[in-house]
Amino acid sequence: MRESINTRLLDIHAFKHDPAATTSPTLGFRLRQSNEIKDKALHGFRHNAYGFTGPDFSLRKPSDTFRIICLGGSTTYGAGVETDMYSYPALLQAMFERTRSPGGKRIETINAGVFGYNSLHTYLQVATRLRLFDPDMYIIMDGLNDLDAAQALHRKVYTREYTIPETFRNVVGYERNLQKALDAARRDNVLAVLVSDPLKSGKDPAASYLTDGNQDLAELLAFGRTALPVINASLAARNHVPFDNAQDTFDPILSDRAKTRRVWADDLHLTRYGYYLLAREVYRQLMAIPAVQQAAGTSRAASSEELDALFPEIVLWRPADGMGWAASTALRNGEPEAVNIKDLETNDKGWSAFTPSDSEIPATLTVAPGAGVTRFRIYPRLEKASDSVSVFWLSADGRRQPIFTLAKGFDDSHWTP
């Protein structure tokens, strides 16, 4: 029975069929390696030669490098943003690079997060393949997919025998799996840090912060925000490892609707600013660890204000659909509406392009098709990894329905076709 349940846990939602993934005999599914895909990026995220998200790195760790491997599910992977450069592991590395002491080592983060991975995947990875990369530290942020797995197994297998909390503890085995992962890390002399996955669930269990009002999800997250920090704190105390309850950083945000939209891309995942706040929180936690201080060449962590000044492209960012824009009288009259838009000069072939007047904030061009128009074309042009173009359908009441987003996962100095 345990083997059967573990098989289910390795791919609850059949992610092996996702274009970015493939079947794995030991993990259920894994990300495709760069040589297994035609493009350098899928979903706007780079895949490297070892099947991780982000740039390539050497198998042999350089002598001047402190290597951190980040494990978890989609919130470690970076779901919710246009490119892996805005995932929290990538932003964490950027924080160390921008605050690096002249005498310190390079602190390298490897993003081993995969959408759909839970604590069982974490244990299996730590006990097997990850030791090949000679890590100095693991940052483990599990919980969200364990909650999801508990709900899925409860519905499919244990509807009568177990409640969801019992399924989470006894069947999914979140605490059991993480204990095995910590034991494996200790045997390999690798430091470990536990982080609680920030959930879109406030302190008031009666209030729902979810965009679609999903009551089942709200109840699941409410259970998770209480259970996960308690279990993680207990694991950390027993194993003498640091624990960061990131939920404490995000709780004050949930009381403000505009701030919540700026931080959460949907009901589960964060925006680039949300991942920045998470990376900033983890950075502070790591800089309190003697081994990291020694590697960084300093015991002083940059303050939040100092980090904010180093990341203006993140701090100044706002979500395009969270700015309060709505259909105007100009749109109702069939006229285009532009926000933060400028028109570039026409080239020798008669083409011109709209681009943001201020490149630090999103620009929006809204067009009302004429009577009888059912099709139109757009030609997005992207040059840098920080560029993205999103297309929305604007309904009569001002609601925006996303159609698609085009983004670049890397800088190559070329325009997209």
Side-chain angles (χ1 to χ4, degrees), residues 133-262:
F133 302 99
D134 191 20
D136 295 288
M137 175 181 286
Y138 294 123
I139 299 177
I140 300 172
M141 188 175 72
D142 280 315
L144 192 55
N145 288 325
D146 291 82
L147 294 170
D148 177 62
Q151 187 177 66
L153 288 175
H154 172 261
R155 288 172 174 171
K156 296 177 180 178
V157 183
Y158 291 108
T159 304
R160 295 181 180 177
E161 289 87 346
Y162 286 121
T163 64
I164 287 180
E166 289 171 336
T167 306
F168 176 79
R169 294 188 177 95
N170 302 330
V171 182
V172 175
Y174 175 80
E175 185 171 3
R176 177 181 63 244
N177 293 333
L178 288 192
Q179 182 61 63
K180 290 181 178 180
L182 293 174
D183 290 341
R186 187 180 303 109
R187 287 194 296 270
D188 292 335
N189 199 29
V190 180
L191 301 172
V193 174
L194 296 178
V195 178
S196 274
D197 213 330
L199 306 181
K200 197 177 182 183
S201 178
K203 295 180 180 179
D204 181 3
S208 177
Y209 303 88
L210 307 184
T211 53
D212 62 359
N214 185 328
Q215 187 59 33
D216 287 343
L217 179 58
E219 292 176 0
L220 192 68
L221 295 182
F223 162 68
R225 70 158 283 131
T226 301
L228 290 174
V230 171
I231 295 173
N232 288 338
S234 176
L235 282 166
R238 293 201 309 267
N239 292 275
H240 306 288
V241 300
F243 164 55
D244 184 1
N245 185 13
Q247 190 72 43
D248 290 341
T249 297
F250 289 83
D251 271 349
I253 296 168
L254 288 165
S255 61
D256 187 303
R257 192 176 190 87
K259 291 180 180 178
T260 299
R261 178 60 191 93
R262 187 184 176 201

